[in-house]
Amino acid sequence: MKNSKLNETLTFDCETGNYHTFCPISCVAWLYQKIEDSFFLVIGTKTCGYFLQNALGVMIFAEPRYAMAELEEADISAQLNDYKELKRLCLQIKQDRNPSVIVWIGTCTTEIIKMDLEGMAPKLEAEIQTPIVVARANGLDYAFTQGEDTVLSAMVQRCPSHSNVQKDQNLITEEQTNSSPNLENLGQKKKSFCDENSLVLFGSLPNNVATQLNLELERCGIKVSGWLPSQRYGDLPVLNENVYVCGINPFLSRTATTLMRRRKCKLISAPFPIGPDGTRAWLEKICSVFGVTPIGLVEREQQIWDSLQDYIALVRGKSVFFMGDNLLEISLARFLVRCGMIVYEIGIPYLDKRFQAAELDFLEKTCQELNVPMPRIVEKPDNYNQVQRIRELQPDLAITGMAHANPLEARGINTKWSVEFTFAQIHGFTNARDILELVTRPLRRNKALENLGWNQLVKI
Amino acid sequence: MKLAYWMYAGPAHIGTLRVASSFKNVHAIMHAPLGDDYFNVMRSMLERERDFTPVTASIVDRHVLARGSQEKVVDNITRKDKEENPDLIILTPTCTSSILQEDLQNFVNRASLDSKSDVILADVNHYRVNELQAADRTLEQIIRFYLEKAKAKNELIIKKTEKPSANIIGIFTLGFHNQHDCRELKRLLTDLGVEINEILPEGGSVTNIKKLPNAWFNLIPYREVGLMAANYLQSEFDMPYVAITPMGLLETENCIREIVNIIKGFNISYDFDFESYIDTQTRFISQAAWFSRSIDCQNLTGKKAVVFGDATHAASMTKILAREMGIRVVCSGTYCKHDADWFREQVDGFCDEVLITDDHTQVADMIARVEPAAIFGTQMERHIGKRLDIPCGVISAPVHIQNFPLGFRPFLGYEGTNQISDLVYNSFTLGMEDHLLEIFGGHDTKEVITKSLSTDSDLVWAPEALAELQRIPGFVRGKIKRNTEKFAREQNVNEITLEIMFAAKEAVGA
């Protein structure tokens, strides 16, 4: 087993897929907050509702803009008419919340009973005069963050293809916001409004992180013409064959495919802007596509690394094991290798080698440069086997789901809950520290308790 | 279809898993899609379990949809049999497998040929029963399975224990204060001179189930889980049971009397002076009786309260408030719709109205309408209370991690009465204190004399930076503002723009 640490190239394995992860419907939790005028309707059973209620805890009580359309026995046995039932619920939602878009989240149950959501949506949309987007984010096909992928790829279809209609409006708002810093950018901004070679970024990020990435690109002289998703449904970006698109998260492969195939957009394949190394590589790749030479990026990256020294001292030489559940694993592992950690295993639910190609190359290169063993990448991992491997390897840190965190801690293994990486702000130069804040937290905490002799808390 | 934001009782399989994982060395295999193993997270987080939750999923994916599970379920069962060597494996259907209509029983039959452990299929229908009903059913199913197995093998030797003894049935994982209640019940029974025969399912072993009939009677502390098993044991083995929840002084007394009656029914000389025991405990050991006579409690007289929760806790709480503390329960309710008749009968005469619903908006509307001084309910009612500014004591599941306290907090027995008195009193006084503060304008004058602690600010915040600042959660906003301003001063910048903000963050790691 330990030999696996000494590989020269990346090795890819695939196990049984018996692993713990969140159901992809969890994406409503962050997407309803991101798209401020949306309403998410999860069409599923009590099981789905119970998961959302418990996983999202406090948010439930904040009158969220999501709800369950809970299927009852009469729905399953087709004694009730799906269309009429959905119409009734959607009218109620329209009346109570008046959203700009209703997103239907299809679940395992709607798949199994073959409820034709895609067929019903356009009819109902015409009838109730509110756009209805259908995303099949079910546990039969997808894991956790891939839920966002299904929603975004459905939204791609709703993006306008010509800015003609909106152009004038946009120009006005553009003038208004031009009070911001560099006046010399103005020409550039105007230019990017011609439909040619505009850049649209895809992936849902908290607004301040999106602003940070916009600013980073602006420093390089590149204007971001839009984001998918946008803050409001009405502001979805223009997409056509002149548009370059670039992803900011590793789990968006379906959205990327849809952008290329359906909207003829040009995909920029880059590592993801996670960690200062990733951010720089991401910016450089975009710059190279637009024929811009970035100035001062190297220094900027170095500056960030310098500011991380106190945390890096804590992780250097330590080993880490990713059990895998949210598809951020490759990028995080690459960043942690750059920080001086040794990655034993990268578990990952699903690996799109084409969409993640640049990131995989970057990981390999990083390992070579730092002269550390290549990690083993395990797709569809088997948690039981992984726990056996963790026992054998005794990593300094296991990044794992909450189902395993407490039991591993009780056995003296430091753990960090992987879900936190999904909800924390980890993108761009500015947030590199937040990643290390998370990674080092168990190390710092356990350092404080080190001498108490309470590492093993189960009877063996 | 039903538009739902929140539910009181979970889906059926959760009940089955709770019972299964409460036993020692029992493994549950869910026939479920990826992500349905959320139960493991709940158990690991809420109960702070040190051990891996003995639940795995036999994943239903696209291939299973197309071709059926085929060997997968059987393989998963036999694999788990080898890896963990459990006594029993329970195949647990979910909503997904309910509609796939695969012949799970057939898988179970095949798997049990190859595995050393016993294998059974949990007999629950997702669309017919909820979490609590499923738990009740599964517990009965397991008990019945092992007693019938013992009978078939002629291993069932019923030999009543020499001294009076009891089984406690219905203590299980993720139950509201179940662990603490269990400890308190053991103490109570020991005081009465009753031995504990078996406790099920929590910490119990399925191999010990055949010893269940050796006890003189069964004690069923909670209405929701255990009654089916108790009825089965009564009809099959003629075992009497006590189903009075010993919550509150009067009900604890009733429970004790019932236990004594059963023991005396066995025609032995039982000379325990239970009358003096009840009297001493009530008047001197428990503080609750004294509390209800003290002037603190006098101040609560006639105050309005609303009670909502599972049938057991809501009914008991209603009776405690009305009978033992003189509080007026304006509305008492439960989400256990399947047990509505029992509930109505229990609270009859102790409250103004009864509400049976599992729709939390109805509960919220009722609370808003009657404006009680305090609420006793679940976590949902706690949040409703927060919104309406009404204090709430949590008395029933569904619960959060704070309802799994590390300290000893039973709700049952004599120590339980103390805990409940504290809970009630704290809820009301907090409300009272709040009210007084409002009337007298708080502890301190509200007006702040200067606008900020440092008045020398020469810094200007650009509108978009200010907007960004407003988006930062309140509890760290001040710190971020200070750090950013400090950074701006160091850089000799007068206007704080978005870029300065982010640069400051990078510089100080704020």
Side-chain angles (χ1 to χ4, degrees), chain B residues 224 247 307-321 329 332-335 342-343 347 376 395-396:
Chain B
E224 285 74 22
M247 183 167 153
V307 179
F308 195 84
D310 63 22
T312 303
H313 290 89
S316 306
M317 200 64 198
T318 305
K319 286 189 266 185
I320 293 170
L321 292 174
V329 180
S332 172
T334 182
Y335 56 83
W342 178 85
F343 185 80
V347 298
F376 298 94
I395 55 143
S396 158

Side-chain angles (χ1 to χ4, degrees), chain B residues 24-38:
Chain B
K24 265 191 286 189
N25 217 20
V26 169
H27 202 99
I29 293 186
M30 302 166 69
H31 188 241
L34 195 66
D36 272 4
D37 59 351
Y38 191 72

